[in-house]
Amino acid sequence: MSEKIRVSAVIPDELASARLDQAAAQLFPDYSRSRLQGWIKSGELKVNGTSSRPKDKVFGGEELVISAELKDEGSWEPQAIDFGLVHEDEALLVLNKPAGLVVHPAAGHSDGTLVNALLSHCPELVQLPRAGIVHRLDKDTSGLMVVAKTLESHHALVKQLQARTVHREYEALVFGAMTGGGRVDQPMGRHPQQRKKMAVVKGGKEAVTHYRLLKRFAHFSHVRCLLETGRTHQIRVHMAHIKHPLIGDPQYAGRPRIPKGASETLLDAVRGFRRQALHARRLELLHPLSQEPCAWESELPEDFLTLARILAEEDPA
């Protein structure tokens, strides 16, 4: 059943001479400006009962009324797939995504994705952009994600991500023995030759990753990474850029750098790890309704723990 939205507001004098879409964004902060512009164009947001254009000026004192119906954002099929539900309330879902689960349907992955799983669990998410998903994890990255359950929550969470107030910590196992932590501040964009890859590129978008050494082995390291920005493949690209690519990363690690004299157990563990050794361990944000700080942590998955144990036993510092 479609969700109906019925809200109204009077334009105050201080917004006189503003564009209609700008005034609406001020008066209805729970909805994105693009969503409000769509409602203005469709006539679902009226000024004193009449339709207007987003660029029309307002004078103050007019009544804005939204009478809209959320429409399905896609034709995805619900599928009963375990997605690791951690927390659920009226505003959001928090999940511990397993490795191997694609987040959104795309070419080559038309179903069997997190979106399909979410729609099976909560069918009304079909009315939200990307079924409520506000940030992604790569297919083979495991760990915590937040999903909005309402349009208002979606807008609030996107604003937090844009303001960089969502705290996201990851743990990774990388090649090379680090001596300490640091900060990578290198712009990122599409790889100039291989368009499916990202890269550090001059003139790219700002990308900042903080990392801290948790445990050093003789030829590998266990690190914690904190995202300041959220670019596609950011941790994977930045760690490879500083010559510490993630173990198992098929796109950015190159050929596995196995130390001379490594035991068969270590060889098998490193070569046999078939995904990037990356897990979204901790997530902190302000709850969209209460504005109270919320935090969730997830345990490291079994394959990650097994690899870390073998590194400790077979490659001690």
Side-chain angles (χ1 to χ4, degrees):
M1 184 175 175
S2 297
E3 181 185 347
K4 293 180 173 57
I5 295 171
R6 302 284 186 273
V7 290
S8 63
V10 174
I11 295 177
D13 291 341
E14 56 264 30
L15 289 179
S17 78
R19 284 172 53 120
L20 173 57
D21 55 356
Q22 293 172 335
Q26 291 283 325
L27 296 172
F28 306 113
D30 287 341
Y31 307 105
S32 68
R33 186 165 168 182
S34 61
R35 174 78 61 166
L36 292 166
Q37 287 174 333
W39 285 337
I40 294 169
K41 292 173 183 176
S42 67
E44 293 171 288
L45 191 163
K46 287 185 166 62
V47 182
N48 288 338
T50 62
S51 296
S52 300
R53 298 171 299 175
K55 67 179 182 179
D56 288 346
K57 300 290 186 183
V58 296
F59 301 98
E62 302 98 321
E63 184 184 31
L64 303 189
V65 177
I66 298 175
S67 180
E69 188 171 299
L70 294 184
K71 301 173 178 64
D72 290 357
E73 292 278 341
S75 56
W76 312 296
E77 290 294 322
Q79 292 176 298
I81 302 168
D82 181 22
F83 58 87
L85 182 64
V86 171
H87 169 85
E88 181 175 12
D89 59 39
E90 59 186 310
L92 52 80
L93 293 158
V94 176
L95 59 106
N96 186 17
K97 188 187 85 69
L101 181 62
V102 174
V103 168
H104 201 275
H109 296 285
S110 59
D111 59 8
T113 70
L114 176 59
V115 165
N116 303 104
L118 288 170
L119 293 179
S120 176
H121 177 77
C122 192
E124 58 269 28
L125 292 178
V126 74
Q127 296 169 0
L128 300 185
R130 298 189 180 277
I133 293 169
V134 293
H135 67 116
R136 296 190 184 198
L137 293 179
D138 297 333
K139 173 189 173 185
D140 289 324
T141 298
S142 55
L144 293 170
M145 288 181 61
V146 62
V147 176
K149 287 182 67 177
T150 68
L151 195 57
E152 295 85 353
S153 295
H154 186 276
H155 183 51
L157 291 170
V158 168
K159 283 177 68 176
Q160 287 188 51
L161 285 161
Q162 291 172 340
R164 303 183 185 179
T165 56
V166 177
H167 184 84
R168 289 172 288 169
E169 282 185 12
Y170 294 71
E171 289 192 25
L173 295 169
V174 304
F175 288 98
M178 289 184 169
T179 56
R183 178 175 184 264
V184 186
D185 183 354
Q186 293 290 338
M188 286 179 52
R190 288 283 169 193
H191 192 287
Q193 283 84 40
Q194 298 167 277
R195 303 303 292 174
K196 290 186 177 181
K197 293 177 65 173
M198 306 300 289
V200 168
V201 293
K202 190 175 181 179
K205 293 181 178 180
E206 181 190 15
V208 181
T209 305
H210 303 265
Y211 63 93
R212 180 177 141 204
L213 179 64
L214 295 178
K215 187 173 179 61
R216 180 172 60 246
F217 309 105
H219 301 90
F220 304 91
S221 300
H222 182 180
V223 297
R224 176 173 294 146
C225 296
L226 172 63
L227 287 180
E228 189 173 315
T229 55
R231 306 302 174 202
T232 301
H233 300 175
Q234 181 174 314
I235 292 174
R236 299 165 63 187
V237 170
H238 272 174
M239 298 311 290
H241 180 74
I242 62 170
K243 312 301 182 188
H244 291 286
L246 274 59
I247 295 175
D249 192 329
Q251 286 185 289
Y252 301 104
R255 295 182 63 183
R257 295 181 293 173
I258 307 297
K260 290 181 179 180
S263 67
E264 285 297 320
T265 301
L266 182 60
L267 279 168
D268 291 344
V270 174
R271 288 176 175 167
F273 203 82
R274 299 298 185 185
R275 70 176 184 96
Q276 59 268 9
L278 183 63
H279 178 74
R281 182 70 184 268
R282 183 174 174 85
L283 176 68
E284 295 180 32
L285 50 83
L286 294 179
H287 193 278
L289 295 183
S290 68
Q291 295 301 302
E292 290 292 321
C294 298
W296 297 270
E297 285 196 17
S298 69
E299 296 297 319
L300 293 169
E302 194 60 40
D303 62 345
F304 191 111
L305 288 171
T306 298
L307 178 57
R309 177 181 55 79
I310 292 173
L311 293 178
E313 293 173 353
E314 302 293 326
D315 191 52

